[in-house]
Amino acid sequence: MNARVDELRDIDQALGRWVATRSGSDLLGRAATQVNHGEGQGHVRCALDADAGFTREEIDALRAHDWVGKGDAFKPFVLDADAHLYTWRNWRNETRLAQMLRERAAGRACPLDAQTLAADVAELFAGSDAAATHWQRIAVAAAPGARVFVLAGGPGTGKTTTVLRMLAMLLRHASACGLPTQPSIALAAPTGKAAQRLSESVASSRAALAAGLAADSEFAPILARLVQVQAQTLHRLLAYQPWSESFAFGPESALPADVVVVDEASMIDLAMLRRLLEALRPQAMLILLGDPAQLYAIEAGSVLGDMVGSVSENAMPKGLAQRLQKIAKVEASADTSPLAGQIVTLTHTWRANARLRDALDALRRGDETWLDGVLTGANADELRWHACKDAANVRERVRAWVDARAQWFDNLMQGDIAPVDALRHLRNAQILCALRAGTFGAAKVNALVERLLAARFGFAVNGDWHHGRPVIVIRNDYARGLYNGDVGVALDRGDGLRVWFDGPDGVARSFSPRALPAHETAWAITIHRSQGSEYDHVAVLLPPDAQHRILSRELVYTAVSRARKHVQLWASADSLRAAVAQPVMRRSGLREQLNTV
């Protein structure tokens, strides 16, 4: 992580100069430059010796400086025994989060006997394949009595259907689990789009589960109570107050929810998860859903990956394993992590598209043999690679993408399409870019698509607004209920152009273009902004430079996992190989602190 001068941002260098001037130490200024540069890349800490090339003598000198402490009292920087340098903020976020997670994990109980667990699980999974739902059943049975629970797994592993059964279990046995008789439930996600998708998934899963229950099942009225539960963003859940950059709910004002479910947890950064945990009541239960193989939050930390990585996969303590034997065969683990038994990774994939499922499995492993097959066209039906090395290649691919979807564009751009249908139509296909700017960025691709469509449909190429233009919100607007990641579409239905967005209960809502918060055209969006969404067809554009710092295995995995049916990879062979070979390794001590007694 020892950054060269040409890699440092202006803010990194400015902070280093400020620290050197104010502290009287050029050495501390250099260390501050490196730790700030690392935080800009998502790292929580900097290993001064291994990452930044500081000598033992320099580290000892830093340790003796008045601005550097051990973490037991406020100092601008914290240097631990292993020469990891933190800012005070990141140190406090990490240690406080680890402490709260350990306390919640240690407070778990086992309020239900093995026979009750087995009977309820059998009822909730009636008619399903026992082998395929093995870990789903274990998760549902292991949840009662927990105060924190992580349900991990890739796309199509059934996280939403499993958490719905977990909620049904908790509601049926609320009092035994230390919850109010009628516990309140909150659903949330990091972005508006992810929250919307969580609401939709819970609603469809609830209907399917209810249809499979016996008419006299005690779970039927319980599931009916979940109909009105709508997901919201984490900022909205915690009542963010933009005028003070604070939250209404926190340590002094607990969140009025007894069970909180948060989807897309891989997108949550260190500071946000700390805020959420501090806002929870002591007896409330937090359930995190996510895929640790996806991209992490833009801000510092890799909390979901650290939590899942702190425990051997699907480790079950002896006592809990014994209670689960009536449900499924579970081996007791010697793992002493406090979160053992409270993290379950779902492994069976229910995706109908076996090739895409296999692609995601290969990407998780960094399988070079699989990648060889992609580059030679072995998976051409579902996942096709197109060499894309320069601006001419980008133009060629974008034109081919538009031409191949002529009818798709005709349906959206012509005729009196209903807003709900137009929004659903947009979820059929999407171009995803690793970058926002430049030849291979989303802005340039959007301009290319707009020029092609202007020639086809006759609107002004230099005009911002036209019928059929998709937009993505890039800044939260709490007054209007529009959030970062929300996708809308401009439609002129005879009464002037309005921009339509999905609303509660499947009813679209519209706004004047002038009333929208900051937004961008969304024929192409960045891979980061696509998290929480799914499309039938996806094209993924990567920069051709194999040395580009944005390339990573998680980046490609996240992009491919957005597709339900088909993926095109637009990249040079070298950049694709480099990305698959490079897993993201964020510097963090959370995993270690979770296992600190």
Side-chain angles (χ1 to χ4, degrees), residues 39 43-45 71 78 86-102 247 251 269-278 299-303 306 588-591 593-594:
E39 184 173 346
H43 301 300
V44 178
R45 65 187 188 184
V78 175
Y86 293 79
T87 61
W88 169 261
R89 180 187 66 253
N90 281 342
W91 168 262
R92 185 58 179 157
N93 284 338
E94 185 175 274
T95 54
R96 179 68 179 131
L97 176 58
Q99 177 190 6
M100 290 187 290
L101 288 171
R102 290 196 307 267
F247 295 85
D269 63 87
L270 192 68
M272 178 55 78
L273 188 56
R274 174 192 169 179
R275 293 188 188 103
L276 176 59
L277 281 165
E278 286 184 332
E299 294 79 9
S302 50
V303 289
D306 288 338
S588 163
L590 181 60
R591 192 175 306 195
Q593 293 207 42
L594 285 174

Side-chain angles (χ1 to χ4, degrees), residues 457-503:
F457 297 106
F459 59 81
V461 71
N462 60 344
D464 284 339
W465 291 105
H466 59 78
H467 178 85
R469 179 196 178 199
V471 294
I472 184 167
V473 173
I474 60 174
R475 185 176 301 158
N476 293 333
D477 185 332
Y478 296 91
R480 293 179 173 83
L482 292 173
Y483 302 99
N484 186 7
D486 285 351
V487 173
V489 60
L491 298 176
D492 187 345
R493 309 187 71 215
D495 54 353
L497 192 142
R498 305 281 292 177
V499 187
W500 295 82
F501 291 84
D502 285 311

